[in-house]
């Protein structure tokens, strides 16, 4: 077996060469991207941390009532936020929500158009599928390495690593929703003289809305799963006390901060559980 090992395929060396080349020749692009992501993060942080916490809580409760059209879910959201305030994790929660909301904005802005294009071009989706599989199966810690190389340490590399990991979800679910539009419905629109733009906006997207909302829900849940990992590259939020508890073997701190992450996940999941509504 020595001959096989001696002729090792240079996967790692090739990846390093690519990253070094990108760092040397695309520095302006990565600097501009970093500034844009930093601006998005700062804007969301300002909205969440500027007003009094109860104003933000009231806004989330009102949004939940508008989306769900009942009183039980807003009450659950209110109880969840009051528990977070009671435990003293409001600042960390807003920082994690900033990371989640930022990744949602970026992932949905990129993922939905790509999913629509893939649904209309089966060959494009066949070409994209192995790349999406790689993005979802590659260990998430691997994403942190190029993120640090290109963007340094802080919230921005945490956001970039989160986006790369989460992006396949909205792409796949948007593709599924648009491509599953009944053929008879599409033929009826064409028969009545509907253009491709009208077919997309008035038929395909409304029909695919439950799947797109499911993609948004998955984006949020997957982003929350990256909170702790993003803390390893300097991203603020609920992952910081979890990492601190792990380093100091502090059971109380670890369970406390971990339970807050669960509460945030439940709040966001219940708020946006409208994928099945027509």
């Amino acid at each position: 077996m020595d001959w096989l090992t001696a002729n090792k395929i240079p996967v790692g060396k090739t990846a390093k060469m690519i990253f070094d080349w990108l760092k040397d020749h695309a520095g302006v692009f990565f600097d501009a991207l970093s500034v844009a992501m930093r601006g998005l993060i700062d804007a969301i942080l300002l909205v969440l941390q500027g007003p009094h916490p109860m104003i933000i809580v009231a806004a989330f409760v009102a949004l939940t009532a508008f989306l769900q059209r009942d009183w039980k879910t807003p009450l659950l959201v209110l109880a969840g936020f009051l528990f977070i305030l009671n435990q003293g994790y409001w600042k960390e929660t807003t920082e994690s929500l900033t990371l989640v909301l930022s990744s949602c904005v970026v992932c949905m802005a990129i993922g939905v158009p790509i999913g629509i294009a893939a649904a209309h071009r089966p060959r494009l989706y066949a070409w994209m599928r192995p790349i999406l599989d790689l993005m979802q199966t590659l260990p998430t810690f691997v994403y942190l390495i190029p993120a640090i190389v290109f963007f340094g340490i802080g919230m921005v590399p945490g956001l970039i690593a989160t986006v790369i990991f989460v992006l396949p979800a909205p792409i796949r679910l948007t593709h599924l929703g648009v491509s599953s539009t009944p053929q008879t419905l599409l033929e009826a629109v064409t028969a009545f003289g509907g253009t491709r733009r009208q077919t997309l906006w008035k038929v395909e997207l409304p029909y695919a809305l439950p799947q797109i909302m499911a993609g948004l829900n998955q984006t949020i849940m997957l982003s929350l799963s990256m909170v702790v990992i993003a803390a390893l590259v300097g991203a603020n939020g609920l992952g910081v006390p979890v990492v601190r508890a792990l380093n100091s073997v502090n059971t109380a701190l670890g369970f406390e901060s971990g339970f807050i992450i669960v509460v945030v996940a439940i709040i966001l999941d219940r708020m946006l559980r409208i994928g099945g509504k027509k």
Side-chain angles (χ1 to χ4, degrees):
M1 297 295 292
D2 292 340
W3 65 271
L4 186 59
T5 306
N7 294 278
K8 179 179 177 180
I9 299 174
V11 176
K13 291 182 179 179
T14 303
K16 184 179 184 302
M17 289 174 57
I18 293 173
F19 290 142
D20 290 342
W21 187 90
L22 289 173
K23 186 177 180 181
D24 293 336
H25 296 83
V28 176
F29 168 76
F30 290 117
D31 290 342
L33 181 60
S34 178
V35 171
M37 294 298 100
R38 184 74 254 178
L40 176 62
I41 291 170
D42 289 342
I44 297 177
L45 267 178
L46 181 63
V47 171
L48 293 178
Q49 293 185 344
H52 191 276
M54 292 307 301
I55 296 178
I56 301 300
V57 172
F60 272 92
V61 172
L63 178 61
T64 305
F66 174 76
L67 293 175
Q68 300 299 326
R69 306 293 183 179
D70 65 10
W71 60 271
K72 294 180 181 179
T73 308
L75 190 61
L76 175 65
V77 170
L78 176 61
F81 276 117
L82 291 179
F83 176 77
I84 292 170
L85 289 169
N86 172 263
Q87 296 297 302
Y89 281 88
W90 179 253
K91 182 175 182 293
E92 291 82 358
T93 299
T94 55
E95 290 168 343
S96 290
L97 283 175
T98 297
L99 183 62
V100 171
L101 294 176
S102 301
S103 64
C104 285
V105 170
V106 176
C107 287
M108 298 305 288
I110 298 174
V112 172
I114 292 178
I116 294 172
H120 292 157
R121 298 169 179 82
R123 289 185 179 180
L124 174 63
Y125 185 69
W127 176 80
M128 289 171 50
R129 186 180 299 171
I131 298 176
L132 298 176
D133 292 339
L134 177 66
M135 293 170 65
Q136 287 187 307
T137 55
L138 197 67
T140 52
F141 287 96
V142 177
Y143 296 134
L144 300 181
I145 301 172
I148 294 174
V149 171
F150 296 136
F151 303 101
I153 294 176
M155 292 285 283
V156 173
L159 172 60
I160 297 299
T162 301
V163 167
I164 296 174
F165 174 66
V166 174
L167 188 58
I171 293 177
R172 288 185 187 275
L173 286 168
T174 301
H175 168 266
L176 176 63
V178 174
S179 61
S180 62
T181 306
Q183 190 63 31
T184 53
L185 190 59
L186 297 176
E187 292 174 355
V189 175
T190 303
F192 282 98
T195 63
R196 294 184 62 180
R197 183 184 296 273
Q198 291 173 329
T199 301
L200 174 63
W201 286 99
K202 296 185 178 181
V203 178
E204 292 178 330
L205 286 181
Y207 189 87
L209 182 60
Q211 292 293 343
I212 294 174
M213 291 304 300
L216 176 60
N217 187 280
Q218 285 297 304
T219 299
I220 291 173
M221 295 300 108
L222 291 172
S223 299
L224 271 175
S225 71
M226 289 288 290
V227 164
V228 177
I229 298 175
L232 298 176
V233 293
N236 298 324
L238 293 169
V240 175
V242 174
V243 174
R244 190 183 303 126
L246 179 63
N247 292 333
S248 60
V249 197
N250 189 331
T251 307
L253 178 62
F255 185 85
E256 188 177 80
S257 53
F259 194 74
I260 295 296
I261 295 176
V262 173
V263 171
V264 173
I266 292 173
I267 289 173
L268 296 177
D269 178 68
R270 296 302 186 273
M271 281 183 61
L272 295 172
R273 185 171 286 186
I274 59 178
K277 294 183 179 181
K278 298 285 185 180

